[in-house]
Amino acid sequence: MHKPLTRQNRFDAGRQTTGMLELGVCYYPEQWPREKWDEDARRMVDLGLAWVRIGEFAWSHIEPQSGTFQWEWMDEAIEVLGCAGLKVILGTPTAAPPKWLVDRYPDILAVDARGVVRKFGARRHYCFSSRRYRVEAARITEAMVRRYGENPFVHAWQTDNEYGDHDTIHSYSDEAKHGFREWLAARYGTIEEMNRAWGTQFWSMHYNGFDAVDLPNNLVEEPTPTHLVDYFRFSSDQVKSFNKAQVDIIRRHSPGRPVTHNFMNQNTDFDHYTVGEDIDIASWDVYPLGGLINGRLSAEDKARYLRVGDPDQTAFNHDLYRAVGRGRVWVMEQQPGPVNWAAHNQSPADGMVRLWTWLAYAHGVDMVSYFRWRQAPFAQEQFHAGLLLPNSEVDQGYLEVAQVAEEMMCLPEGEMREKAEVAILLDYESRFATRALPQGQGYIASAIALDWYSAVARLGVDVDFIGQHSDLSGYRLVLAPDLVIPDASFVARLKASGAKALFGPRSGSKTRDMHIPADLPPGPLADLIDFRVTRVESLPEYHSEPVLYGNTSHPVTGWRELIRTSETVLATFEGEHRQGMPAIIGNERTRYVGTLPRGEFLSKLMGDTLGWADIKSLPDLGDLRLARRGNLHFAFNYGNASALVPASATAEFLVGGRELAPVGVAIWTEKP
Ligand code: GAL
């Protein structure tokens, strides 16, 4: 039955990325009549697509009853797509266990924080701690990989689908409880060591053994933060081991094919770096308009960016997942039109699907795959656009993809994203820490990090993300908006690296045990800069305090620290309360901000910080954003007026021109 393989679609284990953008689409052959497949595949290729992802929700079609496998349709689908010239990404189907399996083993199901079982009828209805589910997930993965591991049309694998979607990392099942106890025993060795770390002498919380410990849900008041952070760490480790088990099976039976997982926008429920260690390419799912609606911006800004999205949130995640994938990042699902799942689901401005695609490429993404090929006329996502309408007519997204496919031809091969001079530190444990001990509603770590990123992006400077484990060589500046739990080895490496560093409030405020450091915050950061934080306060948004920075007074709200220091004071609180106390301090290498600058203040602070670290920046770009990939320069216009791109007089434009209309994209090269 195999037709001859074309050069383009035959699996070649030696193939590395060429630096060219490739396009793809998510396709569900099991949702459409067989007669449509050939035409769909042909139209995908005609559109310029090279990749197609299938299978990630297909379990009940593959194994409709226990042990009865129905592979023929999938064999044929892969054959049809492959023979048309497409490279298949096959998803393991574990995000949607079938009903018969759940009926047989109800303890597969996760339990929510109220103790209620999350039932069958949608997806992601499993508990990461269910040992039975791990056996079943390995069984179906192995069956699938044995069948398709060497299939010439299968070029890559995706494990599961969106770990964390629908709030599914944390389960409060009996098995999670037992798993947690074992995890605690392994972490602490003795129960007294755990008692010490958790501070159980407080409120009579002492435990006599690990088997007396419960999960931190349904308590009368909040648990000790160490209990909670340990539970978050445990849950994160469960995701890593669940994913790793699948990766090991794939590596055994499908050698050389890259493995990816599709992560989500702004999810910090588990440590993405540690899951990233086990895969070859990080991918993520890009839904900027839902991201805007759920995101950090004011209602006024949300209205302004309603159809284009937050100008920095998507770029932030491209840069983050480039780090999670250790340089290799894909977009597995790109929004092609309105979606169905946010509080409001507006249509993108015409041209945004194209803009988002080029934005991804500019930030180092090598493959952009759209979700989904054809809008489904049935089930949960009927309102979710595809590239095609339910009747197979082309929709707006299709036209924009066609435009990208044409524009791709104008670009040279081999342009790769280079290392940036600025690194932003995102530390997942620190996120667990502020979630466990928020100390005020105004402190939202994800929004603060995005604000910092945005302030740098508005000055036209490229950014990389790092974790505490990352290699720091080559960075001139490290920005750490919320490093609550620094480890001593990171601090030592930062010190040795020569990079300058700016730390945000709460940095160094907790030990790994979630205690206040013995000699007060900032714990080990005191090795870089001499100060102590003797008090913190969180402030409601209806109260602001002036901070004098340079000659300008800026209002701040949300967070304020009382700092004692021998270092230079760069800004002071000037309100009635404790007037003149330091707000920003610094020495030659390290600076610390004891509050939450936003807007103009943050912009000024970042501009000064870049200058201090000797990094070239531009005047505020407003609604324009820039990025570089090798010799290619990109500009994106998120505003509602035309803007001039900051290209030199001799720049050579490959796409667009010097004057950029709203929703416009320009790509150019500069003479060396
Ligand atoms: C993603 C998910 C897809 C689809 C999509 C709709 O979160 O991975 O399967 O549901 O959202 O926007």
Side-chain angles (χ1 to χ4, degrees):
M1 193 179 165
H2 281 291
K3 296 197 188 134
L5 300 175
T6 61
R7 222 173 77 74
Q8 183 194 6
N9 71 345
R10 169 189 254 124
F11 175 73
D12 169 7
R15 187 190 163 280
Q16 284 296 315
T17 171
T18 60
M20 290 296 279
L21 174 63
E22 292 189 294
L23 303 176
V25 74
C26 303
Y27 186 53
Y28 299 92
E30 70 277 20
Q31 296 177 10
W32 305 104
R34 170 67 185 86
E35 308 84 79
K36 283 197 192 284
W37 297 0
D38 302 84
E39 194 197 334
D40 282 342
R42 183 184 53 72
R43 289 179 78 187
M44 288 174 195
V45 173
D46 287 351
L47 177 57
L49 307 185
W51 291 88
V52 59
R53 182 196 64 177
I54 64 168
E56 81 277 11
F57 299 118
W59 192 338
S60 72
H61 288 260
I62 295 168
E63 192 185 14
Q65 291 178 45
S66 175
T68 308
F69 287 94
Q70 192 176 266
W71 295 110
E72 296 69 24
W73 71 269
M74 191 171 255
D75 296 350
E76 216 178 329
I78 292 173
E79 181 85 10
V80 165
L81 296 163
C83 287
L86 294 156
K87 297 181 276 190
V88 174
I89 302 162
L90 203 50
T92 64
T94 49
K99 182 68 162 65
W100 58 259
L101 186 66
V102 171
D103 285 345
R104 179 176 302 172
Y105 305 115
D107 57 0
I108 283 175
L109 296 171
V111 175
D112 75 11
R114 295 165 305 163
V116 176
V117 174
R118 304 184 76 180
K119 296 192 290 181
F120 179 90
R123 62 177 171 184
R124 296 213 55 75
H125 41 274
Y126 70 83
C127 171
F128 281 97
S129 297
S130 162
R131 274 164 301 177
R132 168 56 61 182
Y133 194 55
R134 289 193 177 228
V135 170
E136 289 295 320
R139 186 182 62 78
I140 191 68
T141 300
E142 173 132 13
M144 200 172 189
V145 184
R146 275 182 183 276
R147 189 157 187 103
Y148 300 115
E150 308 260 17
N151 184 298
F153 299 127
V154 173
H155 287 251
W157 291 88
Q158 173 187 298
T159 53
D160 202 279
N161 191 77
E162 286 192 350
Y163 296 134
D165 195 14
H166 316 306
D167 199 6
T168 47
I169 298 305
H170 301 124
S171 170
Y172 300 86
S173 66
D174 247 20
E175 279 197 276
K177 181 173 73 188
H178 290 295
F180 184 45
R181 290 170 175 171
E182 281 168 25
W183 185 93
L184 290 169
R187 181 178 177 89
Y188 292 109
T190 66
I191 192 66
E192 288 317 329
E193 179 54 15
M194 191 199 86
N195 278 308
R196 183 204 57 75
W198 287 21
T200 56
Q201 65 273 42
F202 197 76
W203 285 355
S204 186
M205 292 182 296
H206 186 269
Y207 294 93
N208 288 333
F210 290 108
D211 57 2
V213 179
D214 212 327
L215 297 172
N217 63 318
N218 278 330
L219 311 187
V220 171
E221 179 46 307
E222 61 187 306
T224 160
T226 324
H227 188 173
L228 205 47
V229 167
D230 276 346
Y231 173 67
F232 294 154
R233 288 173 174 141
F234 156 75
S235 303
S236 178
D237 287 356
Q238 295 292 78
V239 178
K240 178 177 170 77
S241 61
F242 182 88
N243 183 70
K244 173 86 166 39
Q246 294 198 8
V247 175
D248 288 346
I249 295 168
I250 296 168
R251 299 228 188 277
R252 241 188 340 269
H253 302 294
S254 193
R257 268 92 168 159
V259 183
T260 186
H261 174 76
N262 55 334
F263 297 102
M264 296 169 69
N265 183 32
Q266 304 290 91
N267 182 295
T268 50
D269 288 350
F270 61 96
D271 186 334
H272 288 52
Y273 298 127
T274 62
V275 174
E277 281 165 8
D278 297 323
I279 58 179
D280 303 295
I281 302 169
S283 53
W284 77 285
D285 296 345
V286 183
Y287 294 97
L289 297 194
L292 172 94
I293 295 288
N294 298 339
R296 66 175 172 136
L297 296 177
S298 64
E300 193 190 325
D301 281 341
K302 284 183 184 177
R304 205 150 74 79
Y305 295 122
L306 191 75
R307 297 187 190 283
V308 297
D310 181 327
D312 297 301
Q313 192 187 58
T314 303
F316 175 107
N317 282 277
H318 288 315
D319 292 346
L320 171 63
Y321 287 118
R322 203 172 61 243
V324 170
R326 289 160 288 120
R328 293 207 63 190
V329 55
W330 282 354
V331 167
M332 194 56 83
E333 300 180 9
Q334 170 63 60
Q335 167 168 12
V339 302
N340 61 296
W341 46 259
H344 309 281
N345 296 290
Q346 68 278 27
S347 169
D350 291 342
M352 278 316 290
V353 174
R354 166 182 177 250
L355 186 150
W356 287 323
T357 307
W358 283 124
L359 180 79
Y361 181 65
H363 282 266
V365 170
D366 294 319
M367 197 277 289
V368 175
S369 154
Y370 302 89
F371 183 91
R372 47 187 278 154
W373 175 241
R374 186 190 292 106
Q375 184 174 354
F378 41 75
Q380 282 92 329
E381 294 180 348
Q382 299 182 26
F383 280 113
H384 197 297
L387 296 181
L388 303 184
L389 295 170
N391 69 354
S392 298
E393 279 176 47
V394 304
D395 200 357
Q396 172 69 21
Y398 180 102
L399 301 174
E400 295 183 26
V401 176
Q403 185 179 349
V404 171
E406 223 167 84
E407 289 167 339
M408 270 159 49
M409 307 295 179
C410 310
L411 301 192
E413 269 200 28
E415 300 295 336
M416 303 301 285
R417 177 94 184 190
E418 280 161 21
K419 194 164 184 169
E421 292 180 312
V422 180
I424 297 194
L425 181 71
L426 192 153
D427 178 60
Y428 288 93
E429 277 214 341
S430 294
R431 293 295 173 86
F432 300 165
T434 48
R435 183 167 172 181
L437 267 189
Q439 185 62 5
Q441 292 170 1
Y443 186 94
I444 302 170
S446 60
I448 295 163
L450 186 46
D451 283 348
W452 281 41
Y453 177 93
S454 182
V456 174
R458 285 177 76 122
L459 303 174
V461 175
D462 288 333
V463 163
D464 287 344
F465 274 83
I466 53 169
Q468 296 201 63
H469 60 282
S470 302
D471 175 14
L472 301 175
S473 57
Y475 293 118
R476 302 172 81 99
L477 177 65
V478 170
L479 299 173
D482 62 328
L483 180 59
V484 177
I485 311 179
D487 55 63
S489 80
F490 167 74
V491 176
R493 283 189 299 113
L494 179 61
K495 199 169 181 180
S497 76
K500 294 192 168 170
L502 176 71
F503 290 92
R506 305 187 73 157
S507 295
S509 62
K510 293 288 173 259
T511 65
R512 290 201 78 211
D513 289 334
M514 287 297 290
H515 295 189
I516 295 171
D519 194 18
L520 301 182
L525 298 183
D527 235 24
L528 304 171
I529 176 167
D530 178 40
F531 73 103
R532 296 292 181 274
V533 176
T534 58
R535 175 173 292 188
V536 301
E537 54 175 345
S538 57
L539 300 166
E541 81 285 353
Y542 47 80
H543 169 84
S544 65
E545 311 217 332
V547 166
L548 189 66
Y549 178 57
N551 295 323
T552 314
S553 170
H554 300 275
V556 297
T557 188
W559 195 267
R560 172 174 174 176
E561 298 184 350
L562 192 65
I563 290 171
R564 196 172 67 207
T565 187
S566 65
E567 307 281 7
T568 307
V569 175
L570 303 168
T572 48
F573 291 101
E574 290 300 337
E576 284 167 11
H577 179 69
R578 300 201 179 180
Q579 198 175 23
M581 296 309 289
I584 305 178
I585 57 172
N587 58 31
E588 260 173 35
R589 286 279 308 277
T590 308
R591 291 182 174 180
Y592 182 86
V593 194
T595 185
L596 292 174
R598 294 200 174 91
E600 265 174 41
F601 183 11
L602 185 58
S603 192
K604 174 86 175 79
L605 174 63
M606 284 305 160
D608 293 349
T609 305
L610 293 167
W612 169 61
D614 234 350
I615 293 164
K616 266 216 284 281
S617 63
L618 295 170
D620 191 337
L621 291 165
D623 289 334
L624 208 60
R625 288 295 178 276
L626 305 177
R628 276 148 292 265
R629 179 172 175 139
N631 290 315
L632 299 175
H633 295 246
F634 294 78
F636 306 94
N637 189 356
Y638 288 90
N640 50 19
S642 287
L644 281 181
V645 307
S648 74
T650 56
E652 199 178 305
F653 280 82
L654 306 171
V655 171
R658 226 167 265 284
E659 191 178 338
L660 203 55
V663 193
V665 176
I667 310 176
W668 71 95
T669 56
E670 295 284 359
K671 297 249 152 53

